[in-house]
Amino acid sequence: MKKWKRSARLVDMTRQLLDQPHRLISLSAFADRYQAAKSSISEDLAIIHETFREEGTGLLETVSGAAGGVRYLPIANRENATKLSRQLCAQLENPDRILPGGYLYLSDLLGDDRLVREIGRIWATVFSGRGADVVVTVETKGIPLAYATASHLGLPVAIVRRDSRITEGSVVTINTVSGSSKRLGSLSLARRSFPEGARVLIVDDFMKAGGTVQGMIDLMGEFRAEVIGIGIMAESQVDERLVENTVSLATVTDVDVKNRKIAVELGNLFTQGGFFDGTNPD
Amino acid sequence: MKKWKRSARLVDMTRQLLDQPHRLISLSAFADRYQAAKSSISEDLAIIHETFREEGTGLLETVSGAAGGVRYLPIANRENATKLSRQLCAQLENPDRILPGGYLYLSDLLGDDRLVREIGRIWATVFSGRGADVVVTVETKGIPLAYATASHLGLPVAIVRRDSRITEGSVVTINTVSGSSKRLGSLSLARRSFPEGARVLIVDDFMKAGGTVQGMIDLMGEFRAEVIGIGIMAESQVDERLVENTVSLATVTDVDVKNRKIAVELGNLFTQGGFFDGTNPD
């Protein structure tokens, strides 16, 4: 049996915890692995918790009792979440994003693994404790955000398709109407994606009037699933919104195609009544 | 200035390194952050390196000189890679995957964030050192694998679309012919996805004859990009292959629709001449 030094034990425990967010690890499992007393393990866990907490990247949650243990919860604190979202706003304001019709090019942001991972950390913080069973998104650009969020919550991902493919097996399909352009479309999800009654967290990259998100909510109804939250990276300010209760990091208030200017503000996650609105102590 | 204890420093250094694969961090940056001598930092890094290496999950690479420092390289060693791929083979053999036409349902595997992340770690190991600038995949099911691989390599992702969308801006499109079913299709990639001459790593979930992968290679040619590697989660054994030099974790040798049996073997990554074929010392 390998003899672990305390310094190596701290490194290895940190690695194991970071690698398995939201997964409960028993103190006995750690004690066995490192051939150490539970009291020593507890001391180490206290150091790890304190270090994570001070950097605002996560914390350890201890569950007592026979089935107890410790789990790592990735966290974005208010300071880090605000800083990241301000950076996102600044990037969104780059006029090179403007496409014909006032659409915005976002693929570079969604291709940036580090940015995507930090956005996922914010959603994991906001929706932690709501008991989600699965993260759901619609192809294509929402997928990286869904995986980033799911990895921080230790959950699986289910992807809604715009066209049903043979490789999905039997699917449930609903028809949709885009809220902004009144275009018709459809959304499909494989029947075996998750069991009936699952609690789902919806994540997407961009929302205008909310036709697609409303379609996803309707589709979840067909699975008798409960939508426990909706996280949107950036939303467009519109007069008529189809969906309420979405949470956004950034709000695009104006796209001036002629003068090539985009105006972006922090999303409703940071405004009054939002999760990071400044009224919470931390 | 905060005073760091050695134990907290080890935890925080581990977290920082794991969080930024392949990114060079200078010893001075660490020394400044922790208000510690570079010799102490070096000692800590040696402990972290040794702990990661023994668990077969990664290693630290030291770069000497004025612009030097240390970077974390995630690694799957042969033992871990073989174990994971055997699990994958066993999961692929589940006859419930069989769909009409002999297609296989894979979305559950690709929705499993932990599995996907470990597959990404294997590709990061195999293709590390080939100087990739970007990971490229085709929507939809390849996307999680591409992000997992990119996150371990510290690279961005570019997603090839099967239909060009207005939100991609100007795109390059090529027409494709599926090698197995002779179906026509098209592949598009946004012009601004990456600069001309980039070195790309292609990742996908499943390959039959290789029509889609050949299409991606052709598309990369339009960008004057160099394909430095092609990683496929599972390939189907076929008589006529359109693409050579792909690397696979699993090979589906037979799908017997009538008797509901799927036969799967370890992919060419593990067979003679493969990366993990047993001739390498570690």
Side-chain angles (χ1 to χ4, degrees), chain B residues 4 6 13 15 19 21 29 49 56 68 70 73 92 144 177 182 189-190 194 199 209-210 213 224 227 229 249 253 281:
Chain B
W4 288 79
R6 175 140 189 270
M13 283 171 81
R15 179 189 67 75
D19 204 36
H49 170 74
V70 65
L73 311 184
L92 285 171
V177 183
K182 306 288 176 209
L189 184 61
F194 45 79
R199 296 168 65 83
V213 172
R224 301 187 196 285
V227 177
L249 298 185
T253 54

Side-chain angles (χ1 to χ4, degrees), chain A residues 198-238:
Chain A
R199 295 167 65 83
V200 309
L201 168 59
I202 292 176
V203 166
D204 208 357
D205 63 322
F206 199 82
M207 185 173 91
K208 288 185 122 170
T212 301
V213 172
Q214 184 57 52
M216 280 202 276
I217 295 171
D218 294 344
L219 187 55
M220 293 305 105
E222 296 293 326
F223 282 77
R224 301 188 197 285
E226 189 182 344
V227 177
I228 60 93
I230 303 168
I232 306 289
M233 183 178 81
E235 61 178 336
S236 192
Q237 205 168 49
V238 293

Side-chain angles (χ1 to χ4, degrees), chain B residues 60 72 87 145 166 202 222 229 269 279:
Chain B
L60 300 188
Y72 163 61
Q87 280 170 11
L145 295 170
I166 193 155
I202 292 177
E222 297 292 326
L269 197 53
T279 60

Side-chain angles (χ1 to χ4, degrees), chain B residues 270-282:
Chain B
F270 302 93
T271 51
Q272 227 179 6
F275 190 88
F276 292 116
D277 70 349
T279 60
N280 300 316
D282 195 19

Side-chain angles (χ1 to χ4, degrees), chain A residues 2 19-20 33 54-55 96 107 110-111 113-114 139-140 147 151 156-157 162 165 167-168 192, chain B residues 2 19-20 33 54-55 96 107 110-111 113-114 139-141 147 151 156-157 162 165 168 192:
Chain A
K2 181 185 165 183
D19 204 35
Q20 304 171 78
R33 179 176 173 87
E54 283 197 15
E55 294 307 311
D96 290 344
S107 299
L110 295 160
D113 169 69
R114 258 185 89 75
E139 62 180 351
T140 297
Y147 273 85
S151 80
V157 175
R162 292 189 185 274
R165 293 226 159 216
T167 52
E168 297 295 305
R192 50 176 115 175
Chain B
K2 181 185 164 181
D19 204 36
Q20 304 171 76
R33 178 175 172 87
E54 283 197 14
E55 294 307 311
D96 290 345
S107 299
L110 294 161
D113 168 68
R114 258 184 88 76
E139 62 180 350
T140 297
K141 293 207 296 296
Y147 273 86
S151 80
V157 175
R162 291 189 185 273
R165 294 224 158 219
E168 297 295 305
R192 50 176 115 174

Side-chain angles (χ1 to χ4, degrees), chain A residues 32-45:
Chain A
D32 285 355
R33 179 176 173 87
Y34 304 117
Q35 293 288 298
K38 281 194 193 176
S39 57
S40 311
I41 299 294
S42 291
E43 278 171 37
D44 292 350
L45 290 171

